[in-house]
Amino acid sequence: MTKQQSYFLDRRRAGVLLHPTSIPGQQAGNLGPNAFRFIDFLVDANISVWQTLPLSPTHADGSPYNCLSAHAGNPLLISLELLEERGWLGIRQDNHQNFHQSAHQSAHQNYLQNHFQNKASVGEYHEFHKECLKKARIGFLENASSAEKDDFDNFISQHSYWINDYALFQTLRTQFETHWIEWPSQWRDLRKGAGTTEYKLSKQNEDVYQQVLFDQYIVFSQWHALRQYANDQDVLLFGDVPIFVAYDSADVWANRDQFLLDEAGNPNVVAGVPPDYFSETGQRWGNPLFNWKVMQEDGFRWWIDRMRTQLELFDLVRVDHFRGFESYWEIAADCETAIEGHWVKAPGDELFQTLKKAYHSLPVIAEDLGLITPEVIALREKYDFPGMKILQFAFDSDSENLYLPHHHEPNCVVYTGTHDNDTTVGWFTSLAPDKQDHIMAYLDYPKEAMPWPLVQMAFNSVAELAIIPMQDVLALDSQHRMNTPGTMSDKNWHWQFSW
């Protein structure tokens, strides 16, 4: 291993950025046949990396960066077709071979079409999906083999470091239908491990609790099968770890000492970033900040556990907002914007030393965008983490712009854009004519229209890994972007492609 190439970027690879919810499906994509078909597409195109966004269950806004758990998988990703195949749903066909003939001809999809007549709202489909998972759990209890039930028990045991607290959190959240800070104090103030020691569940809540455990078993099982299918064809799965977690999450509720909260559980300060490319007032994310003093004192247990889950799911992971491990932007909780925040030092060096000792190999990509100081660069280089180069940012200044290809190095990942950018077609179209001409001159006036010149620029980079968002693979415009940072648009996070 050298400082020019990380050990896990063993050769030059190309990848596609696509969240599983963007795979074709009913209301949202899932881990079923179309996900396997997407891997086949990657293989046929000689693409060997699939990058996703975080897989965790989201809040109502649907953002994968605002999740109910840093460990759990989103039950909405569960493929009902695959549950049907296992015989745990009562809507399957007698001949299992029919399932394999076409992803569009299963009994499940016929049932969907007849039940909703293609007019289901997102909320209606989510409720239908939830009811199907309840039926599947009953089917599992009645029909699963002893080996399958042992597998379930082993899964719960192996994930005991988070799953019982998460199941209890979701049970109480279902009961009280509000943020945990508003729960009655005896439930609000429970501490880690209470899921198996302090809380006596009613029969109704016991069903909710067990359903949460079952859902996690299924989503992890289906993801593991998908990862195995990908790895068998030399496709790596590339995940995403947000640096911060949502305030209303099992992580904060069960680990309050790990965050900067007052005695009642309210945050005194919150996370965000100063004014930047995306926002003139900065971004006030609102996530609670870590109590790094406590984390250091207990050997970064919370982070070791968090990375343990991610390395189980992915071959490599992007750590979002890497600069926050060197210094983070602290905002008083009562400030409405991020303008009045300030930088605070973080113990990133000590953290990554600890993670290296715990896992030996640490296949991390550093999302080093934004205001990057020499100290941030030194931290990334010390641990040989590849950084990111975004080509849409390459033309904002002069030839010294570090995102331009002549400044790239092998140990980096180059993107045309990310989930937070406009599509390349949309980005280029929105530029003034003189700006467009400047870009085309740098590219030597290519004959092909956007996005192909930028895609070719990414593939021609010396970077060991080039990632292209699926929207650019399909040459789509701004109507198809995944997210617009700083907005609460109902279009965010809902994009799907069609075959």
Side-chain angles (χ1 to χ4, degrees):
M1 180 175 68
T2 72
K3 288 198 177 291
Q4 290 300 306
Q5 178 176 326
S6 293
Y7 65 93
F8 55 89
L9 297 182
D10 55 347
R11 67 178 192 274
R12 285 168 60 82
R13 289 177 179 264
V16 169
L17 171 60
L18 179 80
H19 198 47
T21 58
S22 294
I23 293 171
Q26 180 76 20
Q27 298 295 347
N30 57 55
L31 306 180
N34 275 316
F36 288 82
R37 182 180 175 187
F38 180 70
I39 292 173
D40 292 339
F41 158 75
L42 295 179
V43 173
D44 289 344
N46 288 323
I47 301 294
S48 61
V49 176
W50 176 6
Q51 182 176 356
T52 75
L53 309 182
L55 300 178
S56 297
T58 71
H59 285 79
D61 63 0
S63 170
Y65 297 89
N66 183 36
C67 293
L68 294 162
S69 169
H71 299 277
N74 191 339
L76 289 172
L77 294 177
I78 292 173
S79 165
L80 301 182
E81 294 98 318
L82 296 184
L83 289 180
E84 174 190 344
E85 184 189 35
R86 299 186 76 166
W88 298 342
L89 283 175
I91 57 175
R92 66 176 181 141
Q93 295 173 332
D94 293 332
N95 185 354
H96 281 283
Q97 290 183 348
N98 288 339
F99 172 82
H100 296 287
Q101 290 175 3
S102 171
H104 303 282
Q105 295 177 352
S106 72
H108 161 68
Q109 292 202 349
N110 289 336
Y111 182 85
L112 280 177
Q113 186 173 4
N114 294 333
H115 187 75
F116 288 124
Q117 296 180 338
N118 295 324
K119 296 180 181 178
S121 69
V122 172
E124 287 174 326
Y125 179 73
H126 287 180
E127 285 302 311
F128 167 75
H129 193 274
K130 185 184 298 183
E131 290 303 311
C132 284
L133 293 182
K134 291 179 181 179
K135 292 179 181 179
R137 176 172 166 258
I138 295 172
F140 171 81
L141 294 173
E142 294 176 348
N143 303 319
S145 67
S146 58
E148 288 172 325
K149 291 181 178 179
D150 286 344
D151 189 50
F152 171 81
D153 291 339
N154 290 335
F155 171 81
I156 301 303
S157 176
Q158 291 168 7
H159 294 84
S160 61
Y161 61 97
W162 67 270
I163 198 168
N164 295 308
D165 286 320
Y166 172 69
L168 180 55
F169 171 80
Q170 286 288 56
T171 301
L172 293 170
R173 201 168 185 272
T174 299
Q175 177 179 346
F176 298 119
E177 299 182 328
T178 187
H179 191 299
W180 65 263
I181 196 64
E182 299 176 8
W183 297 349
S185 60
Q186 65 267 39
W187 313 132
R188 181 195 68 202
D189 298 332
L190 286 178
R191 291 298 188 264
K192 188 171 182 64
T196 56
T197 59
E198 298 180 23
Y199 185 60
K200 303 301 181 184
L201 294 166
S202 66
K203 176 63 172 67
Q204 180 179 0
N205 282 346
E206 177 66 30
D207 283 341
V208 175
Y209 184 92
Q210 293 298 327
Q211 185 68 47
V212 174
L213 297 181
F214 175 77
D215 292 350
Q216 290 306 302
Y217 168 65
I218 296 302
V219 72
F220 270 72
S221 298
Q222 291 191 356
W223 181 262
H224 287 158
L226 188 67
R227 179 180 177 183
Q228 187 64 57
Y229 185 78
N231 288 173
D232 286 347
Q233 301 181 80
D234 191 36
V235 173
L236 304 180
L237 296 189
F238 182 3
D240 200 345
V241 180
I243 181 175
F244 300 117
V245 297
Y247 179 30
D248 187 13
S249 68
D251 310 284
V252 178
W253 171 71
N255 302 276
R256 277 167 52 176
D257 63 319
Q258 304 283 315
F259 300 87
L260 294 176
L261 308 174
D262 63 21
E263 285 298 315
N266 298 295
N268 296 313
V269 290
V270 296
V273 290
D276 60 10
Y277 173 88
F278 292 115
S279 173
E280 293 181 355
T281 59
Q283 297 179 47
R284 185 191 182 280
W285 296 335
N287 309 76
L289 291 169
F290 299 121
N291 189 332
W292 283 115
K293 181 176 183 294
V294 169
M295 287 186 163
Q296 284 183 273
E297 289 173 350
D298 70 6
F300 298 105
R301 170 195 54 80
W302 187 88
W303 275 101
I304 290 173
D305 287 345
R306 188 181 192 188
M307 195 59 67
R308 175 180 172 185
T309 305
Q310 297 308 307
L311 295 181
E312 176 187 342
L313 296 172
F314 296 102
D315 298 294
L316 58 157
V317 293
R318 185 188 86 138
V319 176
D320 193 41
H321 195 56
F322 179 81
R323 74 103 51 245
F325 291 102
E326 192 281 324
S327 295
Y328 55 90
W329 191 249
E330 181 179 282
I331 308 164
D334 58 0
C335 287
E336 295 184 359
T337 73
I339 293 177
E340 296 178 10
H342 63 278
W343 292 109
V344 180
K345 286 289 184 181
D349 190 15
E350 295 85 348
L351 171 63
F352 291 120
Q353 283 185 33
T354 302
L355 292 175
K356 278 278 191 179
K357 290 178 182 177
Y359 295 108
H360 305 295
S361 61
L362 203 58
V364 164
I365 308 294
E367 187 270 293
D368 55 347
L369 308 178
L371 180 61
I372 303 303
T373 64
E375 292 83 2
V376 177
I377 295 172
L379 179 64
R380 179 181 64 77
E381 291 183 344
K382 178 175 181 178
Y383 294 95
D384 205 30
F385 296 150
M388 290 174 53
K389 306 295 184 183
I390 311 299
L391 295 182
Q392 287 188 25
F393 297 162
F395 305 96
D396 292 342
S397 54
D398 55 23
S399 62
E400 297 303 309
N401 189 311
L402 295 179
Y403 295 118
L404 286 169
H406 59 265
H407 292 298
H408 294 184
E409 58 187 16
N411 196 33
C412 72
V413 182
V414 59
Y415 294 77
T416 51
T418 73
H419 64 279
D420 280 335
N421 291 96
D422 199 347
T423 68
T424 293
V425 169
W427 161 77
F428 186 77
T429 302
S430 69
L431 297 175
D434 62 326
K435 192 76 169 180
Q436 291 182 355
D437 187 67
H438 168 68
I439 294 170
M440 298 306 278
Y442 182 91
L443 296 168
D444 197 23
Y445 294 101
K447 294 181 180 179
E448 291 186 295
M450 285 293 179
W452 307 118
L454 216 64
V455 171
Q456 183 176 357
M457 178 186 285
F459 287 158
N460 286 343
S461 168
V462 298
E464 288 296 321
L465 178 57
I467 300 287
I468 312 299
M470 190 64 180
Q471 289 93 328
D472 286 355
V473 174
L474 299 175
L476 299 175
D477 61 21
S478 298
Q479 297 182 55
H480 301 271
R481 71 180 296 172
M482 188 62 167
N483 179 50
T484 303
T487 72
M488 297 294 289
S489 169
D490 57 7
K491 294 182 179 180
N492 290 344
W493 315 115
H494 292 304
W495 177 74
Q496 286 180 282
F497 78 87
S498 64
W499 290 116

